[in-house]
Amino acid sequence: MLKEDIDLLRSGIIDKKRYQLLSQLNIRTINDLLSYYPRKYLDRKTIISIKDLHKFVDDRGNSIKEVNLIVRVTHKNLVDVRKKKILNVTFSDGTGFINSVWFVYAHFFNKSLLKGNEYLISGRVSYKGRWEIAHPEFELIDKESFEGEILPVYPLKNEIRLKGVNSKYLREVVKSVYEKYSDKIIDIIPKEIVEKNSYISLRKAIYSIHFPENVRSKNLAINRLKFNELFYLQSVMISQKLKYKRIKSDFQISDSGRFLDQFYRSLPFDLTLDQKNTIRDIYKDFKSGTPMNRLVQGDVGSGKTMVALATILIMVGNGYQCAIMAPTEILAEQHYINFKNYCKDFDVNISLITGKMRKKLKDEVITNIASGITDIAIGTHALFQKDIQFSQLGYVVIDEQHRFGVTQRGDLITKSSSLPHILVMTATPIPRTITLSLYGDLEISSIKTMPLGRKPVKTAIRGNNSLEKIYSFIGKEIDEGKKAYIVFPLVEKSERSDMNAAVDQYMILKTTVFSKYKVGLLHGKMKSFEKEEIMEGFKGDDYDILISTTVIEVGVDIKTASVILIMHSERFGLAQLHQLRGRVGRSDIQSYCILHFSDKISEDSLERLKIMENTNDGFELSEKDFELRGPGEFFGEKQSGITDLKLVSLIYDRSLIFSTRRIVEKFLEKDPDLSNSKELKNYLNKNYSQKIDILKF
């Protein structure tokens, strides 16, 4: 892009009013505008006639795919319905008629859609006695609308469009900007790499993505710009990986310390081969002389915590402090209890620090951490506090890492006087394309095998007509001394949904079908101490059944829990369902996961749930879930935006991800510090480094 970015308002191309509107789209500079890519393209060849719409609906008249039509407004009517304006519009292309209704911004659309004018409209159609298209996107057609075969359409909210910033306006502004500043566009990727891999120039790609002459020119532009996105991201990841290997660790060890062998002998079970191999990998990292930066991904119940504890004891046995950070107080307290139990015969001081602790106790723990009395500090976000400083923090373990923001992880790492060894763990197996894209700077270990004696959880899909039998089955399990979870997607009933909710069903179930059992309620709106009391009661004898939301998803370990019933399971992703299923099957007793679905479930959703019935492999489910739902839903809001990938699909561009990584690896072999590519180095430092890690080049 432009070497020296320029504020759009100062460019003189747009006025202050439009600048303020574009700012709402995060368009403030020339580079912002040129990289605000079209959301889709309307191809002349894809425009169909109303008479052919029957090809785009199923047997019930519902839409199969989005359609594009060129039509004229033949009739419109703005009416009042319960003090609300509703706009009805009829369009025709000469082969038939199609109707549309606007319930929102009816006044605006009434002024925009003029009788007799020709418009390009796109959306999903249905047939219920007449053709209808719901809230279609539309644009006035004139002689200049199609410069080539295809017309770019930009992602715009109605609030922006009704104030005058539509796709046509954006195309005009982009063209003016390009004509004025295209000679200032520079390509910071080495020319020999671009030419060797047959990509078009950056200048041509930017023009063609906004003003493609045909489908081929559009595709060449998109491919070039996808390559740029991946090249930048992989350069950051691989450079950091190489930099880690060049840093001298202040926490290098020469042996496994005085606790590891004792720990192995004290265990009442054998570790799995995957656990042993992962511990061996981490031990090699500790001895290597460079700081470790490793991701351990393990299936639910695969024993990651034992790997963390074993490797922590290696470092403590060599005289260094360790910290383990958990995403919830429940999980932090569970780690604390387990660590204390396994280390009860060792000379190891373990401290817990959470947000709810009394000030006097917290101050005592903080003092012990600073003085070095504490060997292992376990906590939640409380470990981020400015007043917490370690004496010699050599090893940081971050559990369920995807639940923390990147800056939070960096905050904990800075608690050490120099760069500590870092281990991040996740029980959500990560698809390979994401490990390369988001975690390309990390070494990766996988734990797939389950501890000996564990029986696979039996999974079944059941509808409303089976609830009575399910409740009866849960009762039998409890009569045998076991426990059960019943999980709901909502805390409280919503007027906008017909789903049952935890609070309402708790009141019903505890007084009806489960009246003879002790029933507890747990959800995210409770205060921390309330959640802790409920979980402690469920671990003990206070409750037989726990009615909950997904607050139990991570880390809760109740050995006697044998049944989990997940209500409205079609509302969850496969990875989340697998995490919830992992709350049972934590011992050698046979456990069951029952996936309830509502009467309105779609065929696609039912097929998705059947995947859960057919496999207990979290790695396989993770890949399928990622393909079905995409990276946004897969990771959630805390990881969203981290990659800055506007065009690349982590699902559909796998081959490009792998090939770009190989290109970057070869490039950085010759120039690991980017000393010969200063403009690329400056761009990456400015746009990527702070988002992905605390390190800079």
Side-chain angles (χ1 to χ4, degrees), residues 468-478 562-563 592 594:
E468 189 175 331
K469 289 182 180 178
I470 294 169
Y471 293 151
S472 176
F473 176 73
I474 290 174
K476 289 178 182 177
E477 288 289 295
I478 295 170
S562 67
V563 184
Y592 306 88
I594 304 167

Side-chain angles (χ1 to χ4, degrees), residues 313-332:
L313 288 173
I314 292 174
M315 292 300 289
V316 172
N318 277 275
Y320 298 115
Q321 289 177 297
C322 301
I324 180 166
M325 182 170 65
T328 65
E329 293 191 350
I330 291 173
L331 189 53

Side-chain angles (χ1 to χ4, degrees), residues 436-452:
L436 288 178
S437 300
L438 296 188
Y439 304 107
D441 57 332
L442 304 179
E443 303 294 339
I444 298 172
S445 298
S446 298
I447 306 176
K448 296 184 178 181
T449 52
M450 292 294 116
L452 293 174

Side-chain angles (χ1 to χ4, degrees), residues 425-437:
M425 303 196 302
T426 178
T428 303
I430 302 170
R432 191 175 173 219
T433 49
I434 300 183
T435 61
L436 288 178
S437 300

Side-chain angles (χ1 to χ4, degrees), residues 93-135:
D93 64 355
T95 70
F97 296 89
I98 189 166
N99 298 281
S100 187
V101 179
W102 278 270
F103 297 96
V104 182
Y105 301 117
H107 270 300
F108 164 70
F109 292 121
N110 186 44
K111 292 179 181 178
S112 302
L113 292 162
L114 300 179
K115 195 172 180 179
N117 280 355
E118 192 173 43
Y119 298 91
L120 189 152
I121 65 172
S122 60
R124 290 186 171 273
V125 298
S126 62
Y127 187 79
K128 308 295 180 187
R130 65 176 186 175
W131 287 111
E132 295 181 353
I133 184 167
H135 288 86

